């Protein structure tokens, strides 16, 4: 097994062209050189080193298999707090965790734009390797293609993930009940605000950073508690979209209080300037959990022991007041429906 810690990146870059060329996607010598000199030593899993068309994976003796896939087309592909690489790893890992699974393996497919600087690709790959290690998963198989286009678009990544759900863990929106409590693991809108600040080169917003992170430790800290109904990470579409989806799926009302929502002032200010609602801005390191009322305080206490969820708090409850719709009690004392937007506020946030 390769050790990415001893990998000599500069030596690898010196042996590769400075820019991605169309030949890197043909399956020939240049493709193999890119994979063998960059991806295999960085990702460093025994399954990937075999260079086969598939990975043979060990499965646990009990439980269920969880599988997910997602594509990442964020622009710009590098932003304060991360890049498309850790976004792709963390996003897929978190999708598995939201079902109660322990993430195990990832596949990675990269679509590279001709003219992409090789050093940028190496940075993204390094970030992916680090994110995978932090999340406790192996990148075991993948694919690389090169297409023509605007080199500023850089690259697009599709990641698929496999995880394992232990016996006794049964989460889903259909399990939500009236009287349940809605918990948010931390501040909202950070990722989308970071991407937008970078896209529009807003220097005054340099303190805004993406919250991209894997949620493994946070979820595993509470997975053993009975009474967890479901979890969902509010990525594209933000917290409001997640609440609307869960309300519709459960045919109940998830009602939250605006005063309880943690939104950083710089994020709120940026959204006001751009005419955006932070409730609909993407997050990449937070989750919404619906739990039974008797365990709510214990869930929050445990989450606050984990760095990624130290701002966890109760933000609402489940009612039957307006079945199928999410509602927010505003700071002005009004009640606002949280509906699915007919169009995205801005494209390519994740």
């Amino acid at each position: 097994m390769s050790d990415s810690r001893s990998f000599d990146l500069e030596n690898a870059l010196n042996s590769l062209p400075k820019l991605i060329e169309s030949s890197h996607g043909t399956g020939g010598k240049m493709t193999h050189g890119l994979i063998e000199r960059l991806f295999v030593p960085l990702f460093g899993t025994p399954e990937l080193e075999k260079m086969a068309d598939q990975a043979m994976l060990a499965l646990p003796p009990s439980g269920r298999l969880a599988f997910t896939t997602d594509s990442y087309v964020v622009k710009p592909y590098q932003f304060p707090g991360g890049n498309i690489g850790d976004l792709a790893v963390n996003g897929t890992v978190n999708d598995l965790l939201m079902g109660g699974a322990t993430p195990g393996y990832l596949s990675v497919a990269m679509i590279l734009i001709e003219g992409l600087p090789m050093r940028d690709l190496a940075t993204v790959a390094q970030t992916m390797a680090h994110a995978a290690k932090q999340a406790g998963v192996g990148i075991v198989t993948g694919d690389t293609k090169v297409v023509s286009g605007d080199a500023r678009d850089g690259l697009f990544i599709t990641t698929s993930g496999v995880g394992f759900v232990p016996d006794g863990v049964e989460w889903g929106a259909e399990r939500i009940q009236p009287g349940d409590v809605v918990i948010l693991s931390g501040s909202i809108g950070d990722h989308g605000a970071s991407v937008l600040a970078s896209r529009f080169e807003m220097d005054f917003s340099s303190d805004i950073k993406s919250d991209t992170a894997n949620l493994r430790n946070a979820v595993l800290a509470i997975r053993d508690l009975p009474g967890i109904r479901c979890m969902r990470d509010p990525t594209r579409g933000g917290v409001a979209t997640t609440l609307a989806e869960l309300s519709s799926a459960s045919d109940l009302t998830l009602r939250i209080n605006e005063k309880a929502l943690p939104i950083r002032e710089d994020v709120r200010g940026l959204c006001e300037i751009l005419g955006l609602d932070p409730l609909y801005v993407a997050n990449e390191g937070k989750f919404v959990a619906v739990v039974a009322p008797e365990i709510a305080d214990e869930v929050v206490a445990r989450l606050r022991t984990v760095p990624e969820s130290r701002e966890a708090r109760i933000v609402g409850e489940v009612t039957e007041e307006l079945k199928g719709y999410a509602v927010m009690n505003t700071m002005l004392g009004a009640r606002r429906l949280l509906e699915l937007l007919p169009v995205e506020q801005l494209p390519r946030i994740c």
Side-chain angles (χ1 to χ4, degrees), residues 171-192:
W171 299 349
E174 72 279 2
R175 296 179 176 275
I176 298 175
Q177 301 175 21
D180 284 345
V181 173
V182 181
I183 292 173
L184 184 61
S185 69
S187 60
I188 65 174
D190 296 350
H191 172 70

Side-chain angles (χ1 to χ4, degrees), residues 69-342:
T69 191
D70 207 345
S71 296
Y72 298 86
V73 296
V74 62
K75 184 177 181 178
Y77 58 89
Q78 300 184 81
F79 43 83
N83 63 45
I84 194 172
D86 51 2
L87 192 65
V89 170
N90 292 334
T92 297
V93 164
N94 290 344
D95 284 346
L96 292 170
L97 287 163
M98 294 300 98
T102 300
Y105 306 102
L106 296 181
S107 73
V108 175
M110 293 192 180
I111 307 296
L112 310 178
I113 308 301
E114 192 174 6
L116 170 70
M118 188 66 70
R119 186 172 292 276
D120 283 7
L121 175 59
T123 298
V124 169
Q126 271 192 311
T127 304
M128 295 186 79
H130 178 72
K133 182 179 179 181
Q134 293 293 106
V137 297
I139 297 175
V140 297
T141 189
D143 186 47
T144 304
K145 294 291 190 297
V146 178
V147 298
S148 60
D150 188 341
R152 292 173 298 179
D153 284 343
L155 71 165
F156 310 129
I157 300 177
T158 294
T159 43
S160 296
V162 175
F164 310 103
V165 184
D167 291 333
V169 175
E170 300 281 351
W171 299 349
E174 72 279 2
R175 296 179 176 275
I176 298 175
Q177 301 175 21
D180 284 345
V181 173
V182 181
I183 292 173
L184 184 61
S185 69
S187 60
I188 65 174
D190 296 350
H191 172 70
S194 170
V195 172
L196 293 174
S198 182
R199 182 181 301 172
F200 296 117
E201 299 180 348
M202 293 180 163
D203 293 337
F204 73 90
S205 298
S206 59
D207 289 339
I208 299 176
K209 293 183 179 180
S210 171
D211 61 345
T212 178
N214 81 77
L215 298 168
R216 182 186 185 115
N217 291 337
V219 172
L220 297 187
I222 61 175
R223 188 172 66 178
D224 65 311
L225 291 172
I228 294 178
R229 311 298 192 202
C230 72
M231 292 189 190
R232 193 74 62 86
D233 55 334
T235 53
R236 183 174 51 183
V239 167
T241 296
T242 295
L243 295 171
E245 291 172 345
L246 292 177
S247 296
S248 177
S250 64
D251 197 30
L252 293 167
T253 297
L254 272 67
R255 176 161 54 85
I256 62 169
N257 297 310
E258 187 177 14
K259 289 181 180 179
L261 295 176
I263 305 174
R264 302 188 194 285
E265 286 306 312
D266 48 6
V267 170
R268 190 188 300 275
L270 178 65
C271 288
E272 288 178 356
I273 290 173
L274 296 176
L276 303 176
D277 185 342
L279 283 169
Y280 288 92
V281 174
N283 312 269
E284 289 293 343
K286 305 297 190 305
F287 64 86
V288 173
V290 183
V291 307
E294 61 270 18
I295 68 165
D297 289 340
E298 176 68 12
V299 168
V300 171
R302 290 193 187 188
L303 289 177
R304 287 181 175 176
T305 66
V306 179
E308 291 76 21
S309 55
R310 60 181 177 271
E311 296 177 301
R313 64 192 66 189
I314 294 171
V315 297
E317 61 183 337
V318 179
T319 74
E320 297 182 89
E321 61 190 284
L322 197 59
K323 289 189 175 183
Y325 292 92
V327 174
M328 182 173 72
N329 293 338
T330 73
M331 285 188 275
L332 297 177
R335 188 170 65 169
R336 172 189 168 191
L337 282 180
L338 300 177
E339 300 181 281
L340 299 178
L341 293 179

